[in-house]
Amino acid sequence: MSRAADVAGWTVAEAVERLDAEEISSVELAQAVLEAIGRRDGAIGAYLHVDADAALAAARAADERRSRGDRAPLLGVPIGLKDNISEQGQPCGCASRILRGYRAPYDATVVRRLREAGAVLLGRLNMDEFAMGSSTENSAFGPTRNPWDRTRVPGGSSGGAAAAVAADIALAALGSDTGGSIRQPASFCGCVGLKPTYGRVSRYGLVAFASSLDQIGPLTKSVDDAALLLSVIAGRDPMDSTSLDAPVPPADVARTAPDTLQGLRIGLPVEYFIPGMDAEVEAAVRAAIARAADLGAEVREVRLPHTRYAVAVYYLVATAECSANLARYDGVRYGLRIPAEDVIEQYGRTRAAGFGPEVKRRIILGTYTLSAGYYDAYYLRAQKVRTLIRRDFEAAYRECDLLAAPVTPTPAFRLGENVDDPLNMYLGDILTIPANLAGLCAISLPAGRTASGLPVGLQLIAPPLEEARLLRAAAALERAMGPRERPPRTEEAR
Amino acid sequence: MVPDHPTSDLAGEVRRVAHLARLALPDEEIPRFARDLERILAHVRQLQELDVEGVEPTAHAMPVTNVFRADEPRPGLTREDALANAPASRAGLFLVPRILE
């Protein structure tokens, strides 16, 4: 790799440009990224599984397509997948013991679209078990470390995806976001994370956690890459009845965005600058917002008065849905089985042995609130308050085009710091959860670092299906804030 | 109204719910889950202070209803594919412990 010392650090757009110019082949690019994984992922632990043979075969096929004049948008681009997105023939264990040995029998729609676009799939990225968590410490296979400070978490639940992209051992990745699981790790690791509008991207082949909130989206090194990946994976899919038939923003929507934010009204939700927020996080976010004002945006305060109820609503809605979705893990059709004489006992023992503590906690809460006598008081009331939260946003968007806010109240916390305090862990999601509850699109982009070097993210939140507006504003801000910063590198073989 | 449970009852509730959810929790795990449940329920109880009279519940954020597709045959998983991940199978079927005497 003399011509390119740091191939794995390229953005998707850079890689496509060099592949198109025949400066490098898809096979050389895949080899370079696989070597980087082999050399450095031991220090990070982002990947649960890497299939080098499959990646190289896909890269050879991409070179072949290119030689025939094919110019598919991701031809030869190496991409990682969160371990809850089905990839035919590969493990898809959701970082859970209960799916031990399971291999996906079909491709998720997003994976089919990535393949058609020519992407080279690298492997399976670590996550909190079944996407339940905010630190990737709930993985049954051990935590992933934050590339900026290996004593800290990468965030979660898409922690492996964010860490791999930040540490330059994937050019980009797909994750999923149910209550912030793309944006929060992107913020902790200093990369870009896009949660599309609910329904923008097909969930077919995404292992279900909370079906009314789950959404797949990209984690990337640039806003431009996020737009490019979105253009590939988004769109109506007959296999997901909740997917929306709406025009998808073009791949170059960020690249062609003007430098100015003239005419854009940005709302600052006062409730998102919460008491107890880390002062350096607040300062970095306010500085980024000042930058937006410099670019011509009109910044004004808005109110989202029901924000304080969002975590409660989320943990009732998400756990109720998860308790139903996870009923399928019974040791009959796939995964772990702890044999017993009686089938009921076999279910109980299999599930007790297969699920980790956080998953059990949420199944218990969800089953409790849905059980006889409690439904109206908990689940139904939560759904009604969800309506109030949605109305808050509708009112705010009458006064502004976009909302700007922090992604999290703190930068990345230490491994082990919150594991014994689930409620405290949940409360850290207060700034990302509302976008899921209201079905909005939102993005996290790097907005500087703390004095000790930890990344801080800026969150932009747009109305449903306004990804083009979101990505244009994010692109202008990204340009104004300067080139991407990279974490220090530690060589430690996988 | 939301019932106010003392912790001792919550341990019983965790046992009841764990059985409903087919989770064979060992006894020593019950107090921990009861404590967690108590704390989380105390937090979500704040929703009681809101007046939600006449507010429609939101089940899905996007107003999509009655999505139909043509009812036509199309390829699905083969029996072999469907059984490939089974912990136990025989004669093209999933194998489970006897459920009828």
Side-chain angles (χ1 to χ4, degrees):
Chain A
M1 282 303 102
S2 56
R3 78 192 107 187
D6 190 22
V7 171
W10 288 346
T11 62
V12 172
E14 281 169 327
V16 169
E17 204 180 301
R18 289 169 197 253
L19 286 161
D20 280 348
E22 294 183 16
E23 288 175 35
I24 190 168
S25 71
S26 305
V27 168
E28 288 168 322
L29 177 56
Q31 279 167 340
V33 178
L34 290 166
E35 277 166 29
I37 294 169
R39 267 200 326 276
R40 298 206 304 270
D41 194 36
I44 306 293
Y47 285 89
L48 293 173
H49 180 78
V50 175
D51 190 336
D53 291 343
L56 290 170
R60 277 193 297 274
D63 281 334
E64 168 65 21
R65 280 171 71 175
R66 191 176 297 278
S67 74
R68 292 196 310 262
D70 192 332
R71 286 293 179 272
L74 299 174
L75 204 51
V77 177
I79 287 176
L81 294 177
K82 187 176 180 179
D83 196 33
N84 59 352
I85 299 174
S86 300
E87 183 184 353
Q88 186 172 16
Q90 296 293 334
C92 182
C94 301
S96 178
R97 271 190 299 275
I98 208 158
L99 277 168
R100 193 179 63 188
Y102 173 76
R103 285 181 181 262
Y106 61 90
D107 276 341
T109 295
V110 293
V111 170
R112 181 173 59 73
R113 289 185 177 174
L114 285 179
R115 289 193 208 273
E116 285 165 6
V120 170
L121 304 176
L122 293 165
R124 316 289 310 168
L125 292 161
N126 202 11
M127 56 186 284
D128 287 296
E129 185 179 3
F130 285 106
M132 298 180 195
S134 313
S135 68
T136 312
E137 293 167 293
N138 295 334
S139 166
F141 305 104
T144 297
R145 292 170 184 278
N146 190 312
W148 290 91
D149 177 348
R150 294 191 299 131
T151 68
R152 291 177 188 268
V153 303
S157 64
S158 310
V165 171
D168 293 334
I169 49 177
L171 272 69
L174 292 187
S176 64
D177 190 314
T178 304
S181 282
I182 289 173
R183 289 161 287 158
Q184 184 255 24
S187 163
F188 279 11
C189 291
C191 56
V192 173
L194 172 67
K195 185 206 89 74
T197 304
Y198 182 82
R200 182 58 106 172
V201 177
S202 170
R203 291 179 293 114
Y204 179 69
L206 172 69
V207 178
F209 157 22
S211 304
S212 80
L213 302 165
D214 298 339
Q215 188 65 195
I216 295 172
L219 293 105
T220 56
K221 300 178 209 278
S222 73
V223 176
D224 185 30
D225 284 1
L228 176 55
L229 260 66
L230 182 71
S231 74
V232 169
I233 62 173
R236 165 95 186 114
D237 174 20
M239 301 303 281
D240 175 0
S241 62
T242 63
S243 66
L244 300 170
D245 191 6
V248 175
D252 63 358
V253 69
R255 199 173 313 165
T256 58
D259 289 329
T260 170
L261 294 178
Q262 211 75 47
L264 188 76
R265 298 168 305 162
I266 294 182
L268 298 192
V270 293
E271 294 82 0
Y272 280 43
F273 293 85
I274 57 180
M277 165 169 291
D278 182 277
E280 287 185 280
V281 169
E282 177 163 357
V285 168
R286 291 207 185 268
I289 291 162
R291 203 58 83 85
D294 293 344
L295 296 178
E298 181 196 321
V299 180
R300 60 176 73 175
E301 289 194 338
V302 295
R303 299 214 159 258
L304 298 169
H306 294 92
T307 300
R308 56 185 293 241
Y309 303 103
V311 173
V313 170
Y314 176 81
Y315 280 93
L316 290 169
V317 170
T319 57
E321 293 183 10
C322 101
S323 72
N325 275 328
L326 271 60
R328 70 191 64 176
Y329 304 103
D330 56 8
V332 172
R333 288 156 298 166
Y334 33 67
L336 182 72
R337 169 184 289 192
I338 306 293
E341 293 287 304
D342 166 63
V343 76
I344 301 288
E345 197 190 331
Q346 180 170 294
Y347 296 154
R349 286 169 60 173
T350 297
R351 290 163 62 80
F355 292 133
E358 180 60 26
V359 174
K360 289 178 187 166
R361 189 177 290 122
R362 296 198 195 192
I363 290 174
I364 289 167
L365 178 63
T367 308
Y368 176 84
T369 57
L370 289 178
S371 66
Y374 299 146
Y375 179 87
D376 286 3
Y378 290 115
Y379 187 66
L380 185 61
R381 178 167 281 262
Q383 287 191 315
K384 289 178 176 177
V385 181
R386 185 176 179 184
T387 303
L388 299 178
I389 289 168
R390 199 159 50 85
R391 287 184 190 160
D392 279 357
F393 283 103
E394 286 165 6
Y397 286 128
R398 283 194 282 274
E399 296 171 46
C400 66
D401 306 306
L402 274 185
L403 297 165
V407 184
T408 56
T410 69
F413 45 86
R414 289 189 190 283
L415 285 156
E417 193 174 321
N418 278 333
V419 283
D420 293 323
D421 191 349
L423 187 58
N424 202 44
M425 186 84 91
Y426 299 170
L427 291 172
D429 297 337
I430 176 105
L431 307 178
T432 48
I433 279 172
N436 299 82
L437 292 173
L440 313 172
C441 56
I443 193 167
S444 170
L445 68 156
R449 290 191 287 140
T450 65
S452 59
L454 299 174
V456 176
L458 169 71
Q459 182 175 210
L460 301 176
I461 309 169
L465 296 175
E466 295 291 350
E467 277 87 352
R469 184 192 299 171
L470 184 75
L471 290 162
R472 280 194 203 105
L477 265 171
E478 180 188 53
R479 267 178 239 148
M481 288 192 285
R484 177 175 83 98
E485 295 188 294
R486 294 158 193 264
R489 287 192 175 166
T490 310
E491 303 262 328
E492 194 177 311
R494 227 176 147 252
Chain B
M1 259 328 282
V2 175
D4 253 345
H5 289 284
T7 314
S8 57
D9 281 348
L10 272 182
E13 290 288 78
V14 168
R15 280 199 190 84
R16 177 182 71 89
V17 163
H19 175 69
L20 287 175
R22 302 291 182 256
L23 282 171
L25 297 184
D27 279 346
E28 63 270 20
E29 287 186 18
I30 303 286
R32 170 71 205 267
F33 285 118
R35 263 198 315 278
D36 292 341
L37 185 62
E38 185 186 28
R39 280 198 71 202
I40 296 165
L41 290 178
H43 178 78
V44 303
R45 223 165 258 139
Q46 63 173 307
L47 299 185
Q48 304 303 319
E49 68 198 41
L50 287 167
D51 180 6
V52 292
E53 187 65 39
V55 176
E56 283 296 307
T58 295
H60 268 265
M62 302 300 286
V64 178
T65 48
N66 294 346
V67 178
F68 296 108
R69 63 165 171 78
D71 185 18
E72 289 162 354
R74 55 182 174 179
L77 289 186
T78 63
R79 176 180 277 200
E80 194 181 311
D81 290 340
L83 288 168
N85 282 298
S89 64
R90 188 189 296 162
L93 302 166
F94 294 104
L95 203 60
V96 293
R98 178 184 295 276
I99 52 169
L100 294 172
E101 289 307 317

